[in-house]
Amino acid sequence: MDLEEEQSMDVILVGSSELSCPPSPRPSRDLIAYEVRVKQRHIEDICICCGSFQVWTEHPLFEGGMCAPCKGKFLDSLFLYDDDGYQSYCSICCSGETLLICENPDCTRCYCFECVDTLVSPGTSGRVQAMSNWVCFLCLPFPSNGLLQRRKKWRARLKAFHDREAESPFEIYKTVPAWKREPVRVLSLFGDIQEELTSLGFLEGGSDHRQLRHLDDVTNVVRKDVEDWGPFDLMYGSTPPFGYAFERPPGWYLFQFHRVLQYAQPRPGSRQPFFWMFVDNLVLTSDDRLVASRFLETDPVTIQDVCGRVTRNAVYVWSNIPAVRSKDSALAAEEALSLLAQDRLRARLPAPAPAALVKNCFLPLREYFKYFSTELTSS
Ligand SMILES: [Zn+2]
Ligand SMILES: [Zn+2]
Ligand SMILES: [Zn+2]
């Protein structure tokens, strides 16, 4: 590694590059500036992510087009976050190469060198790296930088883009600008999520828990109770972990979660962001899980904690939080998970709480709710 590369490591993040480009010959982006400035080609007729002229739709955040393969990549990475709380991919082209990070504390966006150099001007990435406090093209007060022109009402466009292009069972809510974000109000049934949400900065530390209501038994809870306690922005529920004295059959937790969800969610057509998550710690039968998918109108994803080749813990998650699906470990064999469940039943050992496994699924909520300083941002 040469000295220059080494020095730059302090300032930049090296993202993973799992979502690599399609192997087809890559159109060149070097020509974008030439096409627009010299040949007077309209930027909406060029994919600003890769330089292709096969435009499928418009880029939701910046003026310019987007080709079909880039649209797919963009949708897949729209709400992906790394453990450090920043988005995993470039906000323009969705590559995961070396990234420049926006230092506005309310922003989580990243940009790759290539985008910045081709669309703003050559050498811009170097200048940005040398700056001690850089804020990004969506946060800067002026909308235009070289060819990079922020779209008006980009949050609404991002939502429209997702609703039009994604094959997701849920609409996404429009993301909320930082100055409008409020602390999240949480209803947590059976399993508690307080510690995880606090460590992510969504709940204020300390003993005042007005933001979160946790209930273990909801048998006698009626609609009026929930309406009096609410409104809520997030409803979490989980089956109790193994080793916990079951007072009810596992299906009971699902039915009660679904019942209370009807009381907690805003009326149909409401634009207010409302998120929910139901987690099964491998206690539901496969029939119960089918019922859950029917009731909650989505299939579960499997999230596991794997150490070497051993699955130490796993959960099934149903949720409308963006990008939860990207956490799915497709390799989780049904068989391995049922063995894990049987082992636990036999050993009667308390299993780790499911909440830790799903913690990072909540990171996309940073686009909707206020967050307090955390171990993530203060480090
Ligand atoms: Zn493209
Ligand atoms: Zn990029
Ligand atoms: Zn920013």
Side-chain angles (χ1 to χ4, degrees):
M1 185 186 289
D2 67 31
L3 191 65
E4 211 182 308
E5 241 180 285
E6 208 170 69
Q7 281 173 338
S8 64
M9 298 292 275
D10 301 337
V11 219
I12 57 180
L13 257 198
V14 184
S16 76
S17 45
E18 274 169 65
L19 295 179
S20 59
C21 300
S24 57
R26 266 185 70 184
S28 168
R29 290 213 292 171
D30 302 341
L31 294 175
I32 295 180
Y34 175 77
E35 289 288 337
V36 173
R37 294 217 168 99
V38 180
K39 293 179 78 181
Q40 303 284 307
R41 190 186 279 269
H42 192 28
I43 196 160
E44 300 288 356
D45 297 331
I46 308 175
C47 174
I48 57 169
C49 310
C50 73
S52 160
F53 298 147
Q54 311 284 321
V55 164
W56 168 270
T57 184
E58 56 183 32
H59 196 290
L61 306 179
F62 298 98
E63 290 188 6
M66 197 182 247
C67 71
C70 289
K71 176 215 75 178
K73 258 167 83 174
F74 193 89
L75 281 172
D76 288 345
S77 61
L78 195 53
F79 280 98
L80 287 191
Y81 284 74
D82 281 338
D83 293 348
D84 58 15
Y86 286 94
Q87 295 198 346
S88 309
Y89 298 97
C90 171
S91 288
I92 302 171
C93 72
C94 306
S95 97
E97 307 297 320
T98 34
L99 297 171
L100 301 160
I101 292 172
C102 176
E103 283 175 74
N104 174 357
D106 296 315
C107 182
T108 52
R109 293 188 174 272
C110 300
Y111 298 80
C112 76
F113 288 14
E114 204 192 319
C115 277
V116 170
D117 287 335
T118 37
L119 296 169
V120 180
S121 64
T124 302
S125 63
R127 285 195 290 279
V128 167
Q129 270 183 277
M131 285 162 89
S132 56
N133 206 345
W134 177 71
V135 298
C136 81
F137 310 106
L138 292 173
C139 296
L140 282 170
F142 39 94
S144 172
N145 290 270
L147 295 179
L148 202 58
Q149 181 102 26
R150 176 167 76 221
R151 288 200 191 272
K152 290 193 186 103
K153 305 204 167 159
W154 59 268
R155 291 178 189 280
R157 282 170 181 273
L158 193 63
K159 172 183 162 40
F161 174 88
H162 183 277
D163 293 344
R164 190 174 64 234
E165 307 286 351
E167 289 157 22
S168 154
F170 304 112
E171 271 185 46
I172 61 160
Y173 294 100
K174 202 167 105 181
T175 59
V176 178
W179 58 274
K180 271 187 172 173
R181 288 178 203 156
E182 301 276 346
V184 64
R185 297 158 296 183
V186 188
L187 179 60
S188 178
L189 305 190
F190 325 125
D192 199 354
I193 194 75
Q194 181 178 315
E195 199 181 304
E196 286 72 22
L197 291 179
T198 306
S199 79
L200 290 173
F202 288 117
L203 304 178
E204 229 169 346
S207 53
D208 182 9
H209 302 314
R210 272 177 308 176
Q211 265 180 272
L212 181 137
R213 180 175 289 263
H214 176 240
L215 302 169
D216 255 326
D217 189 348
V218 293
T219 321
N220 299 319
V221 167
V222 294
R223 181 179 285 273
K224 180 154 189 332
D225 298 324
V226 179
E227 285 176 353
D228 286 350
W229 298 326
F232 295 103
D233 309 299
L234 170 66
M235 183 170 150
Y236 173 84
S238 77
T239 53
F242 272 106
Y244 186 92
F246 275 162
E247 287 168 23
R248 324 267 183 186
W252 181 88
Y253 297 92
L254 164 68
F255 291 122
Q256 294 295 345
F257 177 84
H258 183 257
R259 185 175 70 87
V260 177
L261 181 62
Q262 307 313 304
Y263 309 153
Q265 66 191 357
R267 272 188 280 276
S270 165
R271 294 206 187 146
Q272 191 208 327
F274 177 83
F275 299 98
W276 55 265
M277 178 187 283
F278 184 70
V279 178
D280 169 35
N281 199 27
L282 306 185
V283 300
L284 293 181
T285 64
S286 55
D287 280 348
D288 286 341
R289 290 203 302 274
L290 286 176
V291 173
S293 297
R294 215 157 53 226
F295 274 44
L296 300 170
E297 296 176 54
T298 185
D299 288 324
V301 296
T302 310
I303 299 179
Q304 17 174 17
D305 171 15
V306 180
C307 184
R309 300 182 124 199
V310 183
T311 303
R312 292 193 300 191
N313 194 12
V315 290
Y316 293 107
V317 178
W318 291 259
S319 180
N320 72 337
I321 296 175
V324 164
R325 204 142 289 279
S326 68
K327 309 272 179 197
D328 193 26
S329 44
L331 296 172
E334 180 88 358
E335 228 173 303
L337 297 186
S338 75
L339 277 177
L340 181 66
Q342 283 167 23
D343 278 355
R344 282 189 188 159
L345 207 56
R346 223 175 297 123
R348 301 205 161 277
L349 285 173
L357 265 183
V358 298
K359 176 174 151 180
N360 283 351
C361 294
F362 294 105
L363 279 170
L365 301 189
R366 289 188 147 201
E367 297 273 351
Y368 298 94
F369 303 105
K370 182 179 162 70
Y371 51 88
F372 304 94
S373 71
T374 64
E375 56 201 50
L376 284 178
T377 47
S378 60
S379 65

